Amino acid sequence: MGFLRSATLLVLLVTLAGCETVSGFFEMGDDEDPQQPAELLDIENQLNVRKLWSMGVGDGQGDGLYKLQPIIDGDTIYVASAEGEVRAVDRNNGDTRWRQRLELEVSGGVGHYEDSLFLGGNDGLVMRLDAATGETLWTSEVSGEVLAAPQGNGRVVVAQTYDGRLYGFDFETGEQLWRYDSNLPVLTIRGTSTPILDGGVVYAGFATGRVLAFDAFDGAIRWEARVAIPQGRSEIERIVDVDGTMALAGTELYVASYQGRIVALDTRTGRKIWQRNVSAFYGVSQGFGNVYIAEESGTITAFLRNGQGIRWEQPTLAWRGLSRPIPVSSYLAVVDFEGYLHLLSQVDGEFLARVRPDSDGARADMLAVGTVLYVYSNGGKLIAYDIRPRS
C-alpha cells in the first residue's frame, strides 16, 4: 500500500478528551490504491558495500513505532531500544562498552552532550545519564510522551512532548526552568521533530506547521516562522506537521513539513530565504551544496542550497515510504519500507548500489562517518557498512 496507509504513518485524531485513531480512512484495498509502491528495478552495483559488523539492541523501535535515534561521539555509538536497553558501542568493531537496562519504555533518544546522554520515556519522563557508565543522574516529569531525543548544552536540557509542549530543565539538577505550550491541531501525525540546541538558542518545529526559536535559558520566544499553512476542507487535508529532522548549516535552518513546504530560514531573524512546496515526514539533510529530501510520494529531490531551484530528482522509488536521505562520503543513502538500502550519487541522483540490512525497515536516521554508514533497523539491528567505489 501507499506510504500514507503504511504502519509508519500513524495519523491520530487528537481531541480535548484524548486521542483516537482514525478509522475507515485507511481501509482501502490494494486494488483500489492509486499509491502502490513502485517495484524495484534491477541496478548495476557500482559500489563495494562491505558489512563491517552487526549487533542486536533489544527490541529496537518496539511496538510504539518510535524513531529512537542513535548518536555518535568520537568512536562511540550510543543507542537505545524501546524496551529500555541502552548501550555504548565501539563504532569501529561493534563491541559493547557498557549496557544498562532501564525500568521504563524509551520513546525518545538518544541525545548527547559531552559526558551526558538524554532519553525520553513514553510515560512522560526525561532522563539524564552518565555517558561513561549509563548510570541515571536524574529523572524529571513532563506532560506526555517524548518522541524525540532531548538535547543539552551543559546548562539546559530541552525536551519536546507529543502533546505540543517544549520544556527547559536545569542541566545539573533536572529542575524545570520553563515551558512553552503550543496549540495542538485536531489531527496530527504521531511524532515530533527533534529540537536543535545551538548555543543559547533552541529551534523547535510543531504540529501547527510553525518553527520557533527560543532563548534556551528562559524560554523567551526570539522569532516564529510559518513553514506551512493548513489548507483543505477536511482535518486530514489540513495536517501540516513539522515532524522530521531539521538541518542547521551556518546561519541557515532547513525545515520541511507534511503537506506544506521545505523552507530555508535565517536563524538570526526567522526570515524565509527560499521555499518550495513539498510533503515530507522524515526531514531534510544537506551536502555537496544541496538540500536533500524524500517526499511522501517517494521522489528524492536535491534542492540547491542557494535557493536557485532543483539540481536533480529521482522518482523511481515512488510510494516506498523512504527514510530521511543521509549523505555518506560522496553518496546519498535512503532506506525504504521493505528494508532496502539504496545508495545514490549526490551529483546526479543515479542509483549506485542496493543492499538489504533488515526487512523490518529503518525509521531512525542513519549515521555516517567518512565512508562508513551506520543503520539502526526497526527490529533492533545496528549495522556498520563501509562504502567505497569498486576498483
Side-chain angles (χ1 to χ4, degrees):
M1 291 184 293
F3 187 36
L4 192 59
R5 294 163 180 76
S6 69
T8 56
L9 254 198
L10 328 149
V11 179
L12 301 185
L13 233 192
V14 181
T15 66
L16 292 177
C19 302
E20 299 177 4
T21 57
V22 178
S23 61
F25 184 71
F26 303 118
E27 294 173 359
M28 186 182 296
D30 283 350
D31 293 340
E32 303 170 352
D33 188 353
Q35 300 173 356
Q36 287 278 5
E39 293 186 8
L40 294 181
L41 304 177
D42 292 337
I43 64 171
E44 179 184 353
N45 281 339
Q46 302 176 46
L47 303 176
N48 182 19
V49 183
R50 181 169 63 95
K51 183 187 290 188
L52 300 177
W53 53 262
S54 176
M55 65 177 298
V57 184
D59 65 345
Q61 306 295 340
D63 296 329
L65 296 167
Y66 300 128
K67 185 186 171 187
L68 298 173
Q69 177 64 47
I71 196 162
I72 292 177
D73 178 49
D75 60 359
T76 303
I77 299 179
Y78 299 100
V79 60
S81 71
E83 65 184 353
E85 181 176 317
V86 186
R87 291 194 189 209
V89 179
D90 187 315
R91 73 173 182 86
N92 297 303
N93 55 31
D95 290 347
T96 296
R97 293 180 168 167
W98 58 254
R99 174 185 176 188
Q100 290 282 4
R101 182 64 180 268
L102 305 177
E103 297 301 321
L104 57 83
E105 183 172 344
V106 177
S107 55
V110 178
H112 174 265
Y113 178 79
E114 293 187 348
D115 62 351
S116 298
L117 305 178
F118 313 105
L119 299 171
N122 74 334
D123 54 355
L125 294 176
V126 175
M127 306 178 67
R128 177 186 167 208
L129 277 60
D130 187 321
T133 65
E135 176 189 359
T136 300
L137 300 176
W138 54 253
T139 301
S140 295
E141 294 185 1
V142 291
S143 58
E145 271 187 305
V146 179
L147 294 179
Q151 304 294 310
N153 66 0
R155 291 180 58 188
V156 176
V157 175
V158 296
Q160 192 166 354
T161 55
Y162 180 43
D163 57 5
R165 293 182 169 93
L166 183 71
Y167 291 81
F169 300 95
D170 183 275
F171 185 91
E172 294 296 336
T173 67
E175 176 187 1
Q176 182 179 318
L177 301 176
W178 53 267
R179 188 183 85 182
Y180 169 77
D181 297 357
S182 68
N183 295 319
L184 202 64
V186 171
L187 198 61
T188 178
I189 297 170
R190 178 171 170 77
T192 65
S193 65
T194 300
I196 294 178
L197 185 49
D198 184 38
V201 183
V202 183
Y203 305 104
F206 294 91
T208 57
R210 299 173 185 268
V211 173
L212 280 73
F214 301 87
D215 185 291
F217 308 115
D218 61 15
I221 297 174
R222 294 195 173 186
W223 53 255
E224 178 177 344
R226 180 177 284 281
V227 176
I229 300 173
Q231 300 183 47
R233 295 183 178 181
S234 73
E235 295 297 340
I236 290 174
E237 294 173 321
R238 295 174 61 81
I239 298 173
V240 290
D241 290 43
V242 177
D243 278 352
T245 303
M246 302 180 289
L248 181 64
T251 59
E252 295 182 5
L253 181 67
Y254 302 100
V255 186
S257 76
Y258 177 61
Q259 298 186 146
R261 302 185 182 101
I262 178 174
V263 302
L265 301 172
D266 186 320
T267 58
R268 296 162 295 189
T269 63
R271 179 183 64 87
K272 292 178 184 176
I273 301 170
W274 57 264
Q275 62 184 15
R276 297 288 187 275
N277 292 334
V278 300
S279 179
F281 298 99
Y282 290 137
V284 299
S285 58
Q286 58 89 25
F288 269 37
N290 301 328
V291 179
Y292 302 108
I293 191 166
E295 300 192 39
E296 175 201 6
S297 65
T299 295
I300 304 169
T301 305
F303 294 94
L304 292 165
R305 268 191 60 185
N306 61 13
Q308 296 304 305
I310 294 173
R311 187 182 299 274
W312 54 259
E313 290 181 295
Q314 177 54 265
T316 310
L317 301 176
W319 303 108
R320 292 193 62 85
L322 303 182
S323 68
R324 177 189 176 213
I326 299 296
V328 50
S329 185
S330 58
Y331 316 115
L332 192 67
V334 65
V335 177
D336 68 24
F337 77 105
E338 289 186 314
Y340 288 100
L341 168 62
H342 308 269
L343 292 160
L344 296 77
S345 166
Q346 289 196 60
V347 175
D348 58 12
E350 178 190 2
F351 285 105
L352 300 177
R354 180 191 299 145
V355 295
R356 195 180 195 184
D358 190 341
S359 60
D360 287 336
R363 283 186 298 276
D365 294 345
M366 291 173 282
L367 305 172
V369 179
T371 63
V372 180
L373 181 72
Y374 302 90
V375 181
Y376 183 37
S377 77
N378 297 338
K381 290 182 182 179
L382 181 61
I383 308 170
Y385 291 102
D386 184 66
I387 301 170
R388 299 176 188 266
R390 283 191 167 179
S391 300

